[in-house]
């Protein structure tokens, strides 16, 4: 118990020591933290953008609906039966039957050809099923389209998956680019913190020598630097989260104005709680790793003489 | 306690600092290491603290052969040795207390025990009550005493000192040496490098005299002027 307490006290004193040391040089610390923050805010911000684009494309999934025109010979009862059958499929979210009478009424109301239609003896429109697929991926949608086309009662299946496919591949491409940017900028954070810690080690060369002379182990000497790296990384991540928050506050009103033009209630989503935790944890971990690499490399070179 | 067996030390630049050094110090012994500058005094002390390793021969400290101490084991090994420097090597960004406590914190002592030992060490060097001072506000002699308090705080078996009085006037130097004698009285083995022969003439202790990297005979109480470098 006493050992645990001593251990915790040692680590806490290292943590506060690192904080005090960072605050002793406010300008340098601020600049370092800002560089780290920008390096973290870029990939995190891009991810927010991709998330929003993904959510937006979900909102447009109605555009991937099929329109299944049935043979003119099919009566309404049979059409209703078919609609129920299709709706029961696992890959179908929803099926709506538009009967030929409804279709005619709608056409009459919207097209302005009312009188011309009256001249027709018979309703030229077939029963129509609007099928909304359950899955968003292109393969499943295409299979569903083939199945529907194969039905005996089907006259024509109208589907436009191409632009959905395009949008999805673009999003996948962007997501991949964001992944690569995340790795590269994470590496940049490690290097920035590693370099800062290297300078700090050089500044404290005398202190390190004394610690080694009185029997300080590598771990003991390394620990304050690891905490310093940890603090830099965490502070950078907090600053990055604030940057993203401010950017979203600035972007939200024009996005809302744009969405209103499209009669949409779409609003931008920010970082979720989980994403914020990943950002903060990732920043702290990168700081720790950068400090560890610098410490492993440079502390060994300092020996009392 | 300290034993050198035919020790050679050649630096990478080719200079041979020590050539065939052999001597033995019993536990509780106090000795002065004398000789002109460049005779190898500092090198000899560095071999004891494992700051350097011998090129040939063996150095035993507390019956432990230093050649068998791996790099990883050096910290623990050094915790049993107190080292005093001419330039004190204090940490000027922390208090006197923190400086003296450093080896104890490293050794993992609890707060209460650390405080007790730091105060005991400062009391022994006559600086009790100055714990919260910054080292820079102390005189050179006082700073050296803080350095000594740090060296003895963890109650090491061996204390080595490299020119501990190099920057001090004669009166202060004698004070420091008397302080070392008091630690010797309680059983600490001490090896003190100095070229201040006038000073050590006033003290009765063994001398190990180095010239050109070799031990040369030294009579027990030589006339000081003939020994001056």
């Amino acid at each position: 118990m006493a050992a645990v307490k001593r251990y915790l006290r040692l680590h806490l004193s290292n943590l506060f020591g690192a904080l005090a040391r960072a605050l002793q040089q406010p300008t340098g610390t601020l600049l370092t933290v800002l560089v780290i923050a920008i390096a973290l805010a870029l990939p995190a911000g891009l991810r927010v953008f991709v998330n929003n684009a993904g959510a937006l494309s979900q909102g447009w999934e109605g555009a991937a609906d099929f329109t299944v025109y049935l043979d003119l010979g099919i009566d309404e009862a049979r059409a209703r039966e078919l609609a129920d059958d299709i709706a029961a499929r696992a890959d179908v979210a929803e099926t709506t039957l538009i009967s030929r009478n409804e279709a005619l009424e709608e056409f009459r109301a919207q097209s302005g050809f009312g009188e011309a239609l009256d001249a027709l003896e018979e309703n030229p429109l077939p029963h129509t099923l609007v099928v909304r697929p359950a899955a968003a991926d292109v393969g499943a949608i295409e299979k569903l389209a083939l199945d529907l086309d194969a039905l005996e009662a089907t006259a024509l299946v109208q589907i436009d998956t191409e632009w959905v496919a395009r949008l999805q591949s673009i999003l996948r491409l962007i997501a991949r680019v964001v992944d690569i940017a995340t790795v590269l900028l994470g590496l940049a954070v490690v290097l920035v913190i590693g370099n800062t810690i290297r300078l700090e080690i050089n500044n404290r060369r005398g202190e390190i020598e004394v610690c080694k002379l009185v029997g300080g182990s590598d771990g003991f000497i390394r620990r304050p630097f690891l905490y310093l790296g940890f603090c830099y990384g965490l502070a950078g991540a907090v600053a990055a989260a604030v940057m993203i928050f401010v950017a979203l506050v600035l972007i939200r009103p024009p996005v809302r104005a744009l969405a209103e033009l499209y009669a949409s209630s779409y609003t931008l989503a920010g970082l979720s709680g989980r994403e914020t935790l990943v950002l903060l944890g990732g920043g702290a971990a990168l700081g720790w790793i950068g400090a560890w690499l610098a410490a492993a490399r440079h502390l060994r070179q300092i020996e009392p003489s | 306690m300290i034993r050198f067996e035919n020790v050679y030390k050649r630096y990478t630049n080719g200079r041979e600092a020590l050539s065939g050094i052999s001597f033995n110090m019993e536990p509780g012994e106090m000795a002065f290491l004398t000789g002109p500058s460049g005779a190898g005094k500092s090198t000899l002390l560095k071999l004891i603290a494992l700051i350097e390793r011998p090129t040939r021969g063996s150095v035993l400290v507390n019956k432990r052969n230093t050649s068998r101490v791996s790099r990883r084991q050096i910290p623990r090994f050094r915790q049993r040795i107190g080292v005093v420097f001419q330039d004190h090597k204090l940490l000027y960004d922390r208090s006197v207390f923190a400086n003296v406590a450093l080896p104890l914190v490293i050794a993992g002592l609890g707060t209460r025990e650390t405080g007790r030992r730091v105060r005991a060490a400062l009391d022994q060097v006559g600086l009790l009550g100055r714990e919260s001072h910054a080292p820079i506000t102390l005189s050179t002699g006082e700073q050296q005493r803080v350095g000594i308090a740090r060296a003895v705080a963890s109650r090491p078996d061996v204390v080595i000192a490299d020119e501990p009085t190099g920057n001090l006037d004669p009166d202060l130097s004698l004070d420091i040496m008397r302080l070392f004698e008091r630690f010797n009285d309680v059983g600490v083995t001490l090896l003190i490098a100095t070229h201040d022969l006038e000073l050590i003439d006033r003290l009765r202790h063994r001398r190990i005299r180095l010239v050109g990297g070799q031990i040369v005979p030294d009579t027990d109480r030589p006339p000081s002027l003939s020994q001056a470098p």
Side-chain angles (χ1 to χ4, degrees):
Chain A
M1 197 55 217
V4 173
K5 251 164 103 180
R6 200 177 305 141
Y7 185 80
L8 282 179
R9 192 162 42 229
L10 195 60
H11 278 257
L12 274 182
S13 79
N14 272 309
L15 179 61
F16 288 122
L19 282 175
R21 197 160 281 279
L23 293 177
Q24 269 168 16
Q25 306 141 341
T27 320
T29 300
L30 186 68
L31 286 177
T32 308
V33 168
L34 276 180
V35 170
I36 296 163
I38 290 168
L40 289 174
L42 275 172
L46 284 172
R47 208 159 285 278
V48 168
F49 167 76
V50 171
N51 286 349
N52 277 301
L56 202 55
S57 77
Q58 293 293 310
W60 288 339
E61 75 187 342
D65 289 355
F66 298 95
T67 311
V68 180
Y69 299 100
L70 301 179
D71 278 333
L72 278 171
I74 303 289
D75 62 19
E76 188 165 345
R78 173 74 184 127
R80 205 165 293 283
E81 228 172 85
L82 267 173
D84 290 344
D85 283 355
I86 293 170
R89 289 177 60 115
D91 52 357
V92 170
E94 202 184 338
T95 308
T96 318
L97 170 70
I98 301 171
S99 72
R100 35 195 313 190
N101 291 337
E102 282 165 10
L104 187 66
E105 287 312 307
E106 197 176 322
F107 191 60
R108 193 192 299 278
Q110 291 189 357
S111 66
F113 290 121
E115 286 176 20
L117 289 170
D118 287 342
L120 292 172
E121 286 174 16
E122 221 175 310
N123 181 355
L125 300 174
H127 294 298
T128 307
L129 301 177
V130 177
V131 178
R132 172 163 300 180
D137 76 285
V138 177
I141 289 173
E142 272 169 3
K143 183 177 177 299
L144 180 59
L146 286 175
D147 285 359
L148 294 177
D149 200 31
L151 292 175
E152 213 172 303
T154 303
L156 177 72
V157 175
Q158 208 175 59
I159 168 187
D160 187 7
T161 55
E162 231 165 50
W163 79 270
V164 176
R166 280 193 206 122
L167 179 68
Q168 283 181 347
S169 357
I170 289 171
L171 282 179
R172 263 200 299 276
L173 173 68
I174 293 174
R176 180 64 50 86
V177 170
V178 170
D179 285 345
I180 293 170
T182 305
V183 170
L184 288 179
L185 289 165
L187 197 64
V189 170
V190 168
L191 292 178
V192 166
I193 291 177
N195 196 46
T196 307
I197 297 300
R198 183 181 63 83
L199 292 175
E200 182 71 14
I201 287 173
N202 272 336
N203 286 342
R204 293 164 71 181
R205 184 170 278 270
E207 180 185 340
I208 293 163
E209 274 184 33
V210 170
C211 282
K212 286 200 171 186
L213 274 172
V214 297
S217 66
D218 287 353
F220 179 88
I221 292 167
R222 187 163 51 217
R223 213 173 295 126
F225 296 102
L226 297 186
Y227 271 101
L228 193 57
F230 175 86
C231 288
Y232 275 128
L234 188 60
V238 169
V242 171
M243 282 178 186
I244 290 172
F245 178 77
V246 170
L248 283 171
V249 166
L250 294 176
I251 293 172
R252 227 166 238 148
V255 166
R256 194 168 302 136
L258 186 65
E260 269 164 22
L261 290 179
Y262 284 91
S264 159
S265 61
Y266 178 75
T267 51
L268 277 180
L271 286 170
S272 69
R274 191 168 155 272
E275 284 165 336
T276 308
L277 280 182
V278 168
L279 174 62
L280 298 184
L286 289 174
W288 188 273
I289 292 168
W292 206 93
L293 291 176
R297 207 173 126 68
H298 298 287
L299 284 180
R300 201 170 255 265
Q301 289 166 3
I302 299 178
E303 282 297 336
S305 56
Chain B
M1 184 55 81
I2 301 174
R3 186 177 179 86
F4 276 58
E5 286 170 0
N6 203 22
V7 171
Y8 287 79
K9 176 62 187 180
R10 185 191 290 274
Y11 284 104
T12 42
N13 63 11
R15 195 173 69 83
E16 190 162 85
L18 297 175
S19 315
I21 298 288
S22 297
F23 70 90
N24 184 35
M25 280 184 75
E26 297 299 327
E29 204 180 340
M30 176 165 170
F32 290 115
L33 188 60
T34 69
S37 307
K41 302 191 294 290
S42 295
T43 300
L44 193 151
L45 294 182
K46 282 177 187 171
L47 294 179
I48 295 172
L50 265 178
I51 297 168
E52 297 285 350
R53 290 185 183 268
T55 316
R56 259 169 63 196
S58 51
V59 176
L60 286 89
V61 179
N62 205 359
K63 295 189 186 120
R64 183 135 188 229
N65 191 329
T66 58
S67 67
R68 302 228 172 83
V69 179
S70 71
R71 194 190 173 284
R72 188 172 272 281
Q73 293 168 328
I74 286 179
R76 196 156 281 279
F77 176 86
R78 285 195 187 134
Q79 285 173 17
R80 304 304 315 142
I81 300 176
V83 188
V84 178
F85 305 91
Q86 180 173 0
D87 59 355
H88 332 313
K89 288 206 194 292
L90 300 180
L91 302 178
Y92 290 97
D93 61 344
R94 7 190 135 170
S95 66
V96 166
F97 183 96
N99 269 280
V100 178
L102 184 62
L104 305 174
V105 172
I106 284 172
L109 258 61
T111 316
R112 196 169 307 158
E113 181 66 8
T114 299
R116 213 173 58 74
R117 289 215 199 170
V118 169
R119 278 186 293 276
L122 284 174
D123 189 27
Q124 282 167 317
V125 301
L127 288 175
L128 195 58
R130 311 287 279 277
E131 292 99 313
S132 60
H133 285 56
I136 204 76
T137 64
L138 305 180
S139 71
T140 317
E142 286 169 334
Q143 288 186 31
Q144 186 56 288
R145 284 190 276 159
V146 173
I148 292 169
R150 182 181 66 192
V152 299
S154 59
R155 299 178 186 156
D157 311 313
V158 175
V159 170
I160 56 177
D162 194 0
E163 301 285 358
T165 61
N167 295 331
L168 304 179
D169 64 45
D171 283 350
L172 282 174
S173 298
L174 190 62
D175 280 354
I176 295 290
M177 289 304 182
R178 296 284 183 216
L179 193 54
F180 281 127
E181 283 183 324
R182 286 218 292 282
F183 289 116
N184 181 236
D185 288 343
V186 295
V188 179
T189 308
L190 282 138
L191 181 59
I192 301 162
T194 177
H195 57 250
D196 192 349
L197 295 169
E198 229 169 295
L199 173 65
I200 62 175
D201 276 352
R202 298 159 73 177
L203 305 160
R204 292 182 155 276
H205 293 289
R206 175 180 171 191
R207 299 177 188 187
I208 298 167
R209 182 166 164 77
L210 281 181
V211 174
Q214 290 177 313
I215 293 181
V216 297
D218 196 316
T219 51
D220 196 27
R221 304 271 304 164
S224 60
L225 288 176
S226 70
Q227 290 288 331

